[in-house]
Amino acid sequence: MGAHGYSGWWGSMGGPKHRGIVTYQLSPYEMKTNAHLISKGTHNFFRRTSSQLGYILPGVFLFWAVTHFGKKRHEWLNSKAGHAAQHDG
């Protein structure tokens, strides 16, 4: 609120008028949201995905390697040989 009291609702705050700002709006009835979805959408999907593989695959491989190592180690630690090696030392 401040010292001046109520300054107005959103859009009419009583500030200086904006000049030189042009806004455009498209009616939702005129938009074609699914235009060319099948013909161009699949090509774009594969093009964009293939360009990101270099960033995604190292993380996926690291996750798989750590998980694979952990599962094998867990199986070995719970085996007869793992128990023997763990309790002998």
Side-chain angles (χ1 to χ4, degrees):
M1 293 269 213
H4 298 291
Y6 181 72
S7 62
W9 191 242
W10 293 107
S12 60
M13 292 289 214
K17 298 290 180 196
H18 292 288
R19 294 171 35 162
I21 297 176
V22 180
T23 60
Y24 297 95
Q25 191 172 12
L26 184 63
S27 168
Y29 299 109
E30 294 180 19
M31 287 193 277
K32 296 178 180 162
T33 56
N34 293 327
H36 307 292
L37 179 67
I38 301 299
S39 62
K40 295 182 180 175
T42 54
H43 177 264
N44 263 345
F45 172 76
F46 287 113
R47 181 181 57 84
R48 290 178 178 181
T49 304
S50 65
S51 70
Q52 297 297 315
L53 285 178
Y55 300 104
I56 296 170
L57 286 181
V60 170
F61 177 73
L62 181 67
F63 176 76
W64 173 82
V66 168
T67 305
H68 183 72
F69 171 77
K71 284 183 179 180
K72 291 292 181 185
R73 175 90 173 144
H74 180 72
E75 287 175 8
W76 182 78
L77 286 174
N78 287 325
S79 68
K80 193 175 207 178
H83 282 284
Q86 211 172 16
H87 295 293
D88 283 344

